[in-house]
Amino acid sequence: SRLTSYCNPKSITTADVKEPVDILYDGKKIPVDDTSYDVVTSIDVLEHVPVKQREEFVGELVRIARKRVIISAPYGSPEHSAYEKKILAYFSAKGIKMPYLAEHVEIGLPTPELLESFEKKYDGTLKYSGR
């Protein structure tokens, strides 16, 4: 994983909604104490969280982070969202299933406005860096 190039692999704890992981997440509360980790990363997850649950999810990441939260997700600009719909239609027409892409289109990508609102709400912990 590229993440291991930034830190000791033994210092990484994984969480997900399905096994195998270090921490099994029920989708509501990450079962660890507040400020348990210096840095918390969410890589290609936010776009799979239903829109109404995104703020709660990010709040959980911030709750368990001592210093910083880093979120990596596709940028939900109108152009990017339209392109994903076009690509999904292309593959679907060829009979190729793209479940992750289908979920992006169904749920919707994180918008710039949403990400900016998280940065404002969690100023100092979560930094939005743009596109």
Side-chain angles (χ1 to χ4, degrees), residues 52-117:
K52 291 183 178 183
Q53 295 173 354
R54 287 178 180 169
E55 187 168 348
E56 181 180 345
F57 173 71
V58 171
E60 272 297 285
L61 301 178
V62 171
R63 179 186 68 80
I64 67 170
R66 205 169 3 258
K67 296 179 182 177
R68 180 165 297 138
V69 174
I70 300 168
I71 296 175
S72 172
Y75 187 72
S77 67
E79 298 82 10
H80 188 146
S81 296
Y83 182 75
E84 286 205 348
K85 285 179 186 176
K86 183 178 177 180
I87 292 297
L88 180 62
Y90 172 81
F91 283 112
S92 294
K94 294 188 171 292
I96 301 169
K97 294 185 185 241
M98 304 287 289
Y100 289 106
L101 188 57
E103 197 167 77
H104 289 189
V105 170
E106 179 184 334
I107 293 175
L109 298 176
T111 64
E113 296 79 17
L114 177 70
L115 298 170
E116 289 166 1
S117 76

Short mmCIF file of all heavy atoms in Angstrom, two decimals, residues 52-117:
data_model
loop_
_atom_site.label_atom_id
_atom_site.label_comp_id
_atom_site.label_asym_id
_atom_site.label_seq_id
_atom_site.Cartn_x
_atom_site.Cartn_y
_atom_site.Cartn_z
N LYS A 52 -26.71 11.42 3.73
CA LYS A 52 -27.22 11.82 5.04
C LYS A 52 -26.35 11.33 6.19
O LYS A 52 -26.50 11.80 7.31
CB LYS A 52 -28.66 11.34 5.22
CG LYS A 52 -29.63 12.06 4.33
CD LYS A 52 -31.05 11.63 4.56
CE LYS A 52 -31.99 12.41 3.67
NZ LYS A 52 -33.38 12.09 3.90
N GLN A 53 -25.45 10.39 5.94
CA GLN A 53 -24.60 9.86 7.00
C GLN A 53 -23.16 10.38 6.92
O GLN A 53 -22.34 10.08 7.78
CB GLN A 53 -24.59 8.33 6.93
CG GLN A 53 -25.93 7.72 7.22
CD GLN A 53 -25.95 6.22 6.98
OE1 GLN A 53 -24.99 5.64 6.49
NE2 GLN A 53 -27.05 5.59 7.31
N ARG A 54 -22.85 11.18 5.93
CA ARG A 54 -21.46 11.63 5.73
C ARG A 54 -20.98 12.52 6.88
O ARG A 54 -19.86 12.37 7.34
CB ARG A 54 -21.31 12.34 4.39
CG ARG A 54 -21.35 11.35 3.25
CD ARG A 54 -21.24 12.00 1.90
NE ARG A 54 -21.30 10.95 0.88
CZ ARG A 54 -21.43 11.18 -0.41
NH1 ARG A 54 -21.49 12.42 -0.87
NH2 ARG A 54 -21.48 10.18 -1.26
N GLU A 55 -21.80 13.43 7.34
CA GLU A 55 -21.37 14.32 8.42
C GLU A 55 -21.11 13.52 9.70
O GLU A 55 -20.12 13.75 10.39
CB GLU A 55 -22.40 15.41 8.67
CG GLU A 55 -21.89 16.43 9.66
CD GLU A 55 -22.74 17.68 9.72
OE1 GLU A 55 -23.60 17.89 8.86
OE2 GLU A 55 -22.51 18.47 10.65
N GLU A 56 -21.97 12.56 9.99
CA GLU A 56 -21.78 11.71 11.17
C GLU A 56 -20.49 10.89 11.03
O GLU A 56 -19.72 10.75 11.99
CB GLU A 56 -22.97 10.78 11.33
CG GLU A 56 -22.91 9.88 12.53
CD GLU A 56 -24.14 8.97 12.62
OE1 GLU A 56 -25.14 9.21 11.95
OE2 GLU A 56 -24.06 7.99 13.39
N PHE A 57 -20.23 10.36 9.84
CA PHE A 57 -19.03 9.57 9.59
C PHE A 57 -17.77 10.41 9.80
O PHE A 57 -16.84 10.01 10.50
CB PHE A 57 -19.06 8.98 8.17
CG PHE A 57 -17.79 8.30 7.76
CD1 PHE A 57 -17.44 7.08 8.32
CD2 PHE A 57 -16.95 8.87 6.82
CE1 PHE A 57 -16.25 6.44 7.95
CE2 PHE A 57 -15.77 8.24 6.44
CZ PHE A 57 -15.43 7.02 7.01
N VAL A 58 -17.74 11.59 9.21
CA VAL A 58 -16.58 12.46 9.35
C VAL A 58 -16.42 12.87 10.82
O VAL A 58 -15.30 12.93 11.34
CB VAL A 58 -16.67 13.69 8.42
CG1 VAL A 58 -15.59 14.71 8.73
CG2 VAL A 58 -16.57 13.24 6.96
N GLY A 59 -17.52 13.10 11.51
CA GLY A 59 -17.46 13.42 12.93
C GLY A 59 -16.80 12.31 13.74
O GLY A 59 -16.04 12.57 14.68
N GLU A 60 -17.05 11.07 13.37
CA GLU A 60 -16.41 9.92 14.04
C GLU A 60 -14.91 9.92 13.77
O GLU A 60 -14.12 9.64 14.67
CB GLU A 60 -17.03 8.60 13.56
CG GLU A 60 -18.23 8.17 14.35
CD GLU A 60 -17.88 7.90 15.80
OE1 GLU A 60 -17.27 6.87 16.13
OE2 GLU A 60 -18.24 8.76 16.63
N LEU A 61 -14.52 10.22 12.54
CA LEU A 61 -13.09 10.28 12.22
C LEU A 61 -12.40 11.35 13.06
O LEU A 61 -11.33 11.13 13.63
CB LEU A 61 -12.88 10.56 10.73
CG LEU A 61 -13.48 9.57 9.74
CD1 LEU A 61 -13.21 10.04 8.31
CD2 LEU A 61 -12.96 8.17 9.96
N VAL A 62 -13.03 12.52 13.15
CA VAL A 62 -12.47 13.61 13.92
C VAL A 62 -12.43 13.24 15.41
O VAL A 62 -11.46 13.54 16.10
CB VAL A 62 -13.28 14.91 13.69
CG1 VAL A 62 -12.85 16.01 14.65
CG2 VAL A 62 -13.12 15.37 12.24
N ARG A 63 -13.46 12.57 15.89
CA ARG A 63 -13.51 12.18 17.30
C ARG A 63 -12.34 11.30 17.71
O ARG A 63 -11.77 11.45 18.77
CB ARG A 63 -14.83 11.42 17.59
CG ARG A 63 -14.97 10.96 19.04
CD ARG A 63 -16.19 10.10 19.24
NE ARG A 63 -16.12 8.81 18.59
CZ ARG A 63 -15.46 7.74 19.05
NH1 ARG A 63 -14.77 7.81 20.18
NH2 ARG A 63 -15.48 6.60 18.38
N ILE A 64 -11.94 10.39 16.84
CA ILE A 64 -10.87 9.45 17.22
C ILE A 64 -9.47 9.95 16.86
O ILE A 64 -8.48 9.34 17.24
CB ILE A 64 -11.10 8.04 16.63
CG1 ILE A 64 -10.98 8.01 15.12
CG2 ILE A 64 -12.46 7.50 17.11
CD1 ILE A 64 -10.98 6.61 14.54
N ALA A 65 -9.40 11.10 16.16
CA ALA A 65 -8.10 11.66 15.77
C ALA A 65 -7.58 12.62 16.83
O ALA A 65 -8.30 13.49 17.30
CB ALA A 65 -8.22 12.40 14.44
N ARG A 66 -6.33 12.45 17.18
CA ARG A 66 -5.68 13.35 18.12
C ARG A 66 -5.20 14.62 17.42
O ARG A 66 -5.29 15.71 17.97
CB ARG A 66 -4.49 12.62 18.77
CG ARG A 66 -4.08 13.13 20.11
CD ARG A 66 -3.07 12.26 20.86
NE ARG A 66 -2.53 11.08 20.25
CZ ARG A 66 -2.93 9.83 20.52
NH1 ARG A 66 -3.89 9.60 21.38
NH2 ARG A 66 -2.36 8.81 19.91
N LYS A 67 -4.69 14.48 16.20
CA LYS A 67 -4.09 15.63 15.50
C LYS A 67 -4.78 15.99 14.20
O LYS A 67 -5.04 17.16 13.94
CB LYS A 67 -2.61 15.35 15.20
CG LYS A 67 -1.76 15.18 16.45
CD LYS A 67 -0.33 14.89 16.08
CE LYS A 67 0.52 14.68 17.32
NZ LYS A 67 1.89 14.32 16.98
N ARG A 68 -5.05 15.01 13.35
CA ARG A 68 -5.47 15.33 11.99
C ARG A 68 -6.29 14.20 11.38
O ARG A 68 -6.08 13.04 11.67
CB ARG A 68 -4.24 15.59 11.14
CG ARG A 68 -4.53 15.93 9.71
CD ARG A 68 -3.35 16.51 9.00
NE ARG A 68 -3.01 17.76 9.68
CZ ARG A 68 -1.78 18.15 9.95
NH1 ARG A 68 -0.76 17.42 9.61
NH2 ARG A 68 -1.56 19.30 10.55
N VAL A 69 -7.17 14.60 10.46
CA VAL A 69 -7.94 13.66 9.63
C VAL A 69 -7.61 13.97 8.18
O VAL A 69 -7.63 15.13 7.76
CB VAL A 69 -9.46 13.80 9.86
CG1 VAL A 69 -10.24 12.94 8.89
CG2 VAL A 69 -9.82 13.45 11.30
N ILE A 70 -7.31 12.92 7.43
CA ILE A 70 -7.03 13.07 5.99
C ILE A 70 -8.08 12.25 5.25
O ILE A 70 -8.21 11.05 5.48
CB ILE A 70 -5.62 12.56 5.64
CG1 ILE A 70 -4.57 13.36 6.41
CG2 ILE A 70 -5.40 12.62 4.12
CD1 ILE A 70 -3.18 12.76 6.35
N ILE A 71 -8.83 12.92 4.39
CA ILE A 71 -9.86 12.24 3.60
C ILE A 71 -9.49 12.31 2.14
O ILE A 71 -9.22 13.40 1.61
CB ILE A 71 -11.24 12.88 3.82
CG1 ILE A 71 -11.67 12.70 5.29
CG2 ILE A 71 -12.27 12.28 2.88
CD1 ILE A 71 -12.96 13.39 5.63
N SER A 72 -9.48 11.17 1.50
CA SER A 72 -9.24 11.10 0.06
C SER A 72 -10.51 10.53 -0.56
O SER A 72 -10.97 9.45 -0.18
CB SER A 72 -8.04 10.18 -0.22
OG SER A 72 -7.92 9.97 -1.60
N ALA A 73 -11.07 11.28 -1.50
CA ALA A 73 -12.31 10.84 -2.15
C ALA A 73 -12.39 11.48 -3.53
O ALA A 73 -11.80 12.55 -3.75
CB ALA A 73 -13.52 11.25 -1.31
N PRO A 74 -13.13 10.87 -4.44
CA PRO A 74 -13.32 11.52 -5.74
C PRO A 74 -14.01 12.88 -5.54
O PRO A 74 -14.88 13.02 -4.69
CB PRO A 74 -14.24 10.56 -6.49
CG PRO A 74 -14.09 9.26 -5.81
CD PRO A 74 -13.79 9.57 -4.37
N TYR A 75 -13.59 13.82 -6.31
CA TYR A 75 -14.09 15.19 -6.22
C TYR A 75 -15.40 15.29 -6.98
O TYR A 75 -15.43 15.11 -8.20
CB TYR A 75 -13.03 16.11 -6.82
CG TYR A 75 -13.29 17.57 -6.68
CD1 TYR A 75 -13.17 18.19 -5.44
CD2 TYR A 75 -13.62 18.35 -7.77
CE1 TYR A 75 -13.38 19.55 -5.30
CE2 TYR A 75 -13.83 19.70 -7.65
CZ TYR A 75 -13.72 20.30 -6.41
OH TYR A 75 -13.92 21.64 -6.28
N GLY A 76 -16.48 15.58 -6.28
CA GLY A 76 -17.81 15.57 -6.88
C GLY A 76 -18.21 16.83 -7.60
O GLY A 76 -19.29 17.36 -7.38
N SER A 77 -17.34 17.30 -8.49
CA SER A 77 -17.72 18.44 -9.32
C SER A 77 -18.79 17.96 -10.31
O SER A 77 -18.89 16.76 -10.60
CB SER A 77 -16.52 18.98 -10.09
OG SER A 77 -16.10 18.03 -11.05
N PRO A 78 -19.58 18.88 -10.85
CA PRO A 78 -20.58 18.46 -11.86
C PRO A 78 -19.94 17.71 -13.03
O PRO A 78 -20.49 16.73 -13.52
CB PRO A 78 -21.21 19.78 -12.31
CG PRO A 78 -21.02 20.71 -11.14
CD PRO A 78 -19.69 20.30 -10.53
N GLU A 79 -18.77 18.16 -13.46
CA GLU A 79 -18.09 17.52 -14.59
C GLU A 79 -17.66 16.09 -14.25
O GLU A 79 -17.84 15.17 -15.06
CB GLU A 79 -16.86 18.33 -15.01
CG GLU A 79 -17.16 19.72 -15.50
CD GLU A 79 -17.35 20.75 -14.38
OE1 GLU A 79 -17.07 20.45 -13.21
OE2 GLU A 79 -17.79 21.87 -14.70
N HIS A 80 -17.09 15.90 -13.06
CA HIS A 80 -16.64 14.57 -12.66
C HIS A 80 -17.83 13.63 -12.50
O HIS A 80 -17.79 12.49 -12.96
CB HIS A 80 -15.85 14.66 -11.34
CG HIS A 80 -15.19 13.37 -10.95
ND1 HIS A 80 -13.99 13.33 -10.30
CD2 HIS A 80 -15.56 12.07 -11.09
CE1 HIS A 80 -13.65 12.08 -10.06
NE2 HIS A 80 -14.59 11.30 -10.54
N SER A 81 -18.88 14.10 -11.87
CA SER A 81 -20.08 13.27 -11.69
C SER A 81 -20.68 12.86 -13.03
O SER A 81 -21.07 11.71 -13.22
CB SER A 81 -21.10 14.01 -10.82
OG SER A 81 -20.58 14.22 -9.52
N ALA A 82 -20.76 13.81 -13.98
CA ALA A 82 -21.28 13.51 -15.31
C ALA A 82 -20.40 12.49 -16.02
O ALA A 82 -20.90 11.56 -16.68
CB ALA A 82 -21.39 14.79 -16.14
N TYR A 83 -19.09 12.62 -15.87
CA TYR A 83 -18.16 11.69 -16.50
C TYR A 83 -18.35 10.27 -15.93
O TYR A 83 -18.35 9.30 -16.68
CB TYR A 83 -16.72 12.17 -16.30
CG TYR A 83 -15.70 11.27 -16.97
CD1 TYR A 83 -15.54 11.30 -18.34
CD2 TYR A 83 -14.92 10.39 -16.23
CE1 TYR A 83 -14.62 10.47 -18.98
CE2 TYR A 83 -14.00 9.56 -16.85
CZ TYR A 83 -13.86 9.60 -18.21
OH TYR A 83 -12.96 8.78 -18.83
N GLU A 84 -18.50 10.16 -14.62
CA GLU A 84 -18.70 8.83 -14.02
C GLU A 84 -19.98 8.19 -14.53
O GLU A 84 -20.03 6.99 -14.78
CB GLU A 84 -18.66 8.91 -12.49
CG GLU A 84 -17.25 9.12 -11.98
CD GLU A 84 -17.03 8.62 -10.57
OE1 GLU A 84 -18.00 8.29 -9.86
OE2 GLU A 84 -15.84 8.55 -10.17
N LYS A 85 -21.05 8.97 -14.70
CA LYS A 85 -22.30 8.44 -15.25
C LYS A 85 -22.08 7.94 -16.68
O LYS A 85 -22.58 6.87 -17.06
CB LYS A 85 -23.39 9.51 -15.25
CG LYS A 85 -23.95 9.79 -13.89
CD LYS A 85 -25.01 10.88 -13.96
CE LYS A 85 -25.46 11.23 -12.55
NZ LYS A 85 -26.41 12.36 -12.56
N LYS A 86 -21.33 8.69 -17.45
CA LYS A 86 -21.04 8.32 -18.84
C LYS A 86 -20.22 7.03 -18.90
O LYS A 86 -20.52 6.12 -19.68
CB LYS A 86 -20.28 9.47 -19.52
CG LYS A 86 -19.98 9.25 -20.97
CD LYS A 86 -19.28 10.48 -21.55
CE LYS A 86 -18.89 10.25 -22.99
NZ LYS A 86 -18.21 11.42 -23.56
N ILE A 87 -19.21 6.93 -18.06
CA ILE A 87 -18.36 5.72 -18.03
C ILE A 87 -19.17 4.51 -17.57
O ILE A 87 -19.05 3.41 -18.13
CB ILE A 87 -17.13 5.94 -17.12
CG1 ILE A 87 -16.21 6.98 -17.73
CG2 ILE A 87 -16.38 4.65 -16.83
CD1 ILE A 87 -15.61 6.58 -19.06
N LEU A 88 -20.02 4.70 -16.55
CA LEU A 88 -20.85 3.60 -16.07
C LEU A 88 -21.79 3.12 -17.18
O LEU A 88 -21.94 1.90 -17.39
CB LEU A 88 -21.65 4.03 -14.84
CG LEU A 88 -22.56 2.95 -14.25
CD1 LEU A 88 -21.74 1.75 -13.77
CD2 LEU A 88 -23.38 3.53 -13.10
N ALA A 89 -22.40 4.04 -17.91
CA ALA A 89 -23.29 3.67 -19.03
C ALA A 89 -22.52 2.90 -20.10
O ALA A 89 -23.01 1.91 -20.65
CB ALA A 89 -23.94 4.92 -19.61
N TYR A 90 -21.30 3.33 -20.39
CA TYR A 90 -20.46 2.66 -21.37
C TYR A 90 -20.20 1.20 -20.98
O TYR A 90 -20.39 0.29 -21.77
CB TYR A 90 -19.14 3.43 -21.52
CG TYR A 90 -18.11 2.72 -22.37
CD1 TYR A 90 -18.16 2.80 -23.76
CD2 TYR A 90 -17.10 1.97 -21.79
CE1 TYR A 90 -17.22 2.14 -24.54
CE2 TYR A 90 -16.16 1.32 -22.56
CZ TYR A 90 -16.22 1.41 -23.94
OH TYR A 90 -15.29 0.75 -24.71
N PHE A 91 -19.75 1.00 -19.75
CA PHE A 91 -19.47 -0.36 -19.30
C PHE A 91 -20.75 -1.20 -19.19
O PHE A 91 -20.75 -2.38 -19.53
CB PHE A 91 -18.71 -0.35 -17.97
CG PHE A 91 -17.25 -0.02 -18.11
CD1 PHE A 91 -16.74 1.16 -17.61
CD2 PHE A 91 -16.39 -0.89 -18.77
CE1 PHE A 91 -15.39 1.46 -17.75
CE2 PHE A 91 -15.05 -0.61 -18.93
CZ PHE A 91 -14.54 0.58 -18.41
N SER A 92 -21.82 -0.59 -18.72
CA SER A 92 -23.09 -1.31 -18.61
C SER A 92 -23.57 -1.79 -19.97
O SER A 92 -24.07 -2.91 -20.11
CB SER A 92 -24.16 -0.42 -17.96
OG SER A 92 -23.80 -0.14 -16.62
N ALA A 93 -23.43 -0.96 -20.99
CA ALA A 93 -23.83 -1.33 -22.35
C ALA A 93 -23.04 -2.52 -22.87
O ALA A 93 -23.52 -3.29 -23.70
CB ALA A 93 -23.68 -0.14 -23.29
N LYS A 94 -21.83 -2.71 -22.36
CA LYS A 94 -20.99 -3.84 -22.75
C LYS A 94 -21.18 -5.05 -21.82
O LYS A 94 -20.48 -6.05 -21.95
CB LYS A 94 -19.52 -3.43 -22.76
CG LYS A 94 -19.21 -2.39 -23.82
CD LYS A 94 -17.73 -2.14 -23.92
CE LYS A 94 -17.39 -1.29 -25.11
NZ LYS A 94 -17.59 -1.91 -26.40
N GLY A 95 -22.12 -4.92 -20.87
CA GLY A 95 -22.38 -6.01 -19.94
C GLY A 95 -21.34 -6.15 -18.83
O GLY A 95 -21.26 -7.20 -18.19
N ILE A 96 -20.55 -5.12 -18.63
CA ILE A 96 -19.51 -5.15 -17.59
C ILE A 96 -20.03 -4.44 -16.35
O ILE A 96 -20.43 -3.28 -16.42
CB ILE A 96 -18.21 -4.47 -18.09
CG1 ILE A 96 -17.70 -5.19 -19.33
CG2 ILE A 96 -17.17 -4.43 -16.99
CD1 ILE A 96 -16.58 -4.46 -20.05
N LYS A 97 -20.04 -5.17 -15.25
CA LYS A 97 -20.52 -4.60 -13.99
C LYS A 97 -19.38 -3.86 -13.29
O LYS A 97 -18.28 -4.37 -13.19
CB LYS A 97 -21.09 -5.68 -13.09
CG LYS A 97 -22.34 -6.30 -13.66
CD LYS A 97 -22.96 -7.29 -12.70
CE LYS A 97 -24.12 -7.95 -13.39
NZ LYS A 97 -25.35 -7.72 -12.74
N MET A 98 -19.70 -2.67 -12.81
CA MET A 98 -18.75 -1.83 -12.08
C MET A 98 -19.44 -1.40 -10.78
O MET A 98 -19.93 -0.28 -10.67
CB MET A 98 -18.37 -0.61 -12.92
CG MET A 98 -17.81 -0.90 -14.30
SD MET A 98 -16.14 -1.53 -14.25
CE MET A 98 -15.24 -0.10 -13.76
N PRO A 99 -19.49 -2.31 -9.78
CA PRO A 99 -20.28 -2.00 -8.58
C PRO A 99 -19.82 -0.76 -7.82
O PRO A 99 -20.66 0.00 -7.32
CB PRO A 99 -20.15 -3.26 -7.71
CG PRO A 99 -19.04 -4.06 -8.30
CD PRO A 99 -18.89 -3.64 -9.72
N TYR A 100 -18.54 -0.52 -7.73
CA TYR A 100 -18.08 0.67 -7.02
C TYR A 100 -18.48 1.93 -7.76
O TYR A 100 -18.92 2.91 -7.16
CB TYR A 100 -16.56 0.64 -6.80
CG TYR A 100 -16.16 -0.39 -5.78
CD1 TYR A 100 -15.57 -1.58 -6.15
CD2 TYR A 100 -16.40 -0.15 -4.44
CE1 TYR A 100 -15.22 -2.53 -5.19
CE2 TYR A 100 -16.06 -1.09 -3.47
CZ TYR A 100 -15.47 -2.28 -3.85
OH TYR A 100 -15.14 -3.20 -2.91
N LEU A 101 -18.32 1.94 -9.07
CA LEU A 101 -18.71 3.08 -9.88
C LEU A 101 -20.22 3.29 -9.83
O LEU A 101 -20.70 4.42 -9.72
CB LEU A 101 -18.22 2.91 -11.31
CG LEU A 101 -18.38 4.09 -12.25
CD1 LEU A 101 -17.67 5.32 -11.70
CD2 LEU A 101 -17.82 3.74 -13.62
N ALA A 102 -20.98 2.19 -9.86
CA ALA A 102 -22.44 2.28 -9.77
C ALA A 102 -22.85 2.92 -8.44
O ALA A 102 -23.77 3.74 -8.40
CB ALA A 102 -23.07 0.90 -9.91
N GLU A 103 -22.14 2.58 -7.38
CA GLU A 103 -22.43 3.17 -6.08
C GLU A 103 -22.10 4.67 -6.07
O GLU A 103 -22.84 5.46 -5.50
CB GLU A 103 -21.67 2.43 -4.99
CG GLU A 103 -22.22 2.68 -3.60
CD GLU A 103 -21.68 1.72 -2.59
OE1 GLU A 103 -20.52 1.90 -2.17
OE2 GLU A 103 -22.42 0.79 -2.21
N HIS A 104 -21.01 5.06 -6.72
CA HIS A 104 -20.67 6.48 -6.83
C HIS A 104 -21.83 7.24 -7.48
O HIS A 104 -22.24 8.29 -6.99
CB HIS A 104 -19.45 6.69 -7.72
CG HIS A 104 -18.15 6.25 -7.16
ND1 HIS A 104 -16.97 6.54 -7.79
CD2 HIS A 104 -17.83 5.55 -6.05
CE1 HIS A 104 -15.97 6.03 -7.09
NE2 HIS A 104 -16.47 5.42 -6.03
N VAL A 105 -22.35 6.68 -8.57
CA VAL A 105 -23.41 7.34 -9.32
C VAL A 105 -24.71 7.34 -8.51
O VAL A 105 -25.41 8.36 -8.45
CB VAL A 105 -23.60 6.66 -10.70
CG1 VAL A 105 -24.86 7.17 -11.40
CG2 VAL A 105 -22.37 6.89 -11.57
N GLU A 106 -25.03 6.22 -7.87
CA GLU A 106 -26.27 6.11 -7.11
C GLU A 106 -26.26 7.03 -5.89
O GLU A 106 -27.23 7.76 -5.64
CB GLU A 106 -26.47 4.67 -6.66
CG GLU A 106 -27.73 4.47 -5.84
CD GLU A 106 -27.87 3.05 -5.32
OE1 GLU A 106 -27.32 2.12 -5.94
OE2 GLU A 106 -28.51 2.89 -4.27
N ILE A 107 -25.19 7.01 -5.12
CA ILE A 107 -25.12 7.78 -3.88
C ILE A 107 -24.74 9.23 -4.14
O ILE A 107 -25.25 10.14 -3.50
CB ILE A 107 -24.12 7.13 -2.89
CG1 ILE A 107 -24.66 5.77 -2.43
CG2 ILE A 107 -23.84 8.02 -1.70
CD1 ILE A 107 -23.70 4.99 -1.56
N GLY A 108 -23.83 9.44 -5.08
CA GLY A 108 -23.34 10.79 -5.36
C GLY A 108 -21.99 11.02 -4.73
O GLY A 108 -21.73 10.58 -3.61
N LEU A 109 -21.12 11.68 -5.45
CA LEU A 109 -19.77 11.96 -4.96
C LEU A 109 -19.80 13.13 -3.96
O LEU A 109 -20.68 13.98 -4.03
CB LEU A 109 -18.85 12.31 -6.13
CG LEU A 109 -18.66 11.21 -7.17
CD1 LEU A 109 -17.80 11.73 -8.32
CD2 LEU A 109 -18.03 9.98 -6.56
N PRO A 110 -18.83 13.17 -3.05
CA PRO A 110 -18.75 14.30 -2.12
C PRO A 110 -18.53 15.60 -2.91
O PRO A 110 -17.63 15.69 -3.73
CB PRO A 110 -17.52 13.98 -1.27
CG PRO A 110 -17.31 12.51 -1.41
CD PRO A 110 -17.80 12.16 -2.79
N THR A 111 -19.38 16.57 -2.66
CA THR A 111 -19.30 17.83 -3.39
C THR A 111 -18.27 18.77 -2.77
O THR A 111 -17.96 18.65 -1.58
CB THR A 111 -20.66 18.54 -3.39
OG1 THR A 111 -20.99 18.88 -2.04
CG2 THR A 111 -21.75 17.68 -4.01
N PRO A 112 -17.77 19.69 -3.55
CA PRO A 112 -16.84 20.69 -3.00
C PRO A 112 -17.46 21.43 -1.81
O PRO A 112 -16.80 21.68 -0.81
CB PRO A 112 -16.58 21.63 -4.17
CG PRO A 112 -16.86 20.81 -5.38
CD PRO A 112 -17.95 19.86 -4.99
N GLU A 113 -18.74 21.75 -1.90
CA GLU A 113 -19.42 22.47 -0.83
C GLU A 113 -19.45 21.66 0.47
O GLU A 113 -19.24 22.20 1.56
CB GLU A 113 -20.85 22.84 -1.24
CG GLU A 113 -20.94 23.79 -2.41
CD GLU A 113 -20.74 23.12 -3.78
OE1 GLU A 113 -20.84 21.88 -3.90
OE2 GLU A 113 -20.45 23.86 -4.74
N LEU A 114 -19.69 20.36 0.34
CA LEU A 114 -19.71 19.50 1.53
C LEU A 114 -18.33 19.45 2.16
O LEU A 114 -18.18 19.60 3.38
CB LEU A 114 -20.17 18.09 1.17
CG LEU A 114 -20.16 17.08 2.32
CD1 LEU A 114 -21.25 17.41 3.32
CD2 LEU A 114 -20.31 15.67 1.79
N LEU A 115 -17.31 19.26 1.34
CA LEU A 115 -15.95 19.17 1.87
C LEU A 115 -15.52 20.49 2.51
O LEU A 115 -14.88 20.49 3.56
CB LEU A 115 -14.99 18.75 0.75
CG LEU A 115 -15.29 17.37 0.16
CD1 LEU A 115 -14.48 17.14 -1.09
CD2 LEU A 115 -15.06 16.28 1.18
N GLU A 116 -15.91 21.60 1.90
CA GLU A 116 -15.60 22.91 2.49
C GLU A 116 -16.31 23.10 3.82
O GLU A 116 -15.75 23.67 4.76
CB GLU A 116 -15.98 24.03 1.51
CG GLU A 116 -15.06 24.09 0.31
CD GLU A 116 -15.60 24.95 -0.83
OE1 GLU A 116 -16.69 25.54 -0.71
OE2 GLU A 116 -14.92 25.00 -1.88
N SER A 117 -17.53 22.58 3.93
CA SER A 117 -18.26 22.70 5.20
C SER A 117 -17.59 21.88 6.30
O SER A 117 -17.56 22.29 7.46
CB SER A 117 -19.73 22.27 5.04
OG SER A 117 -19.87 20.86 4.97
#
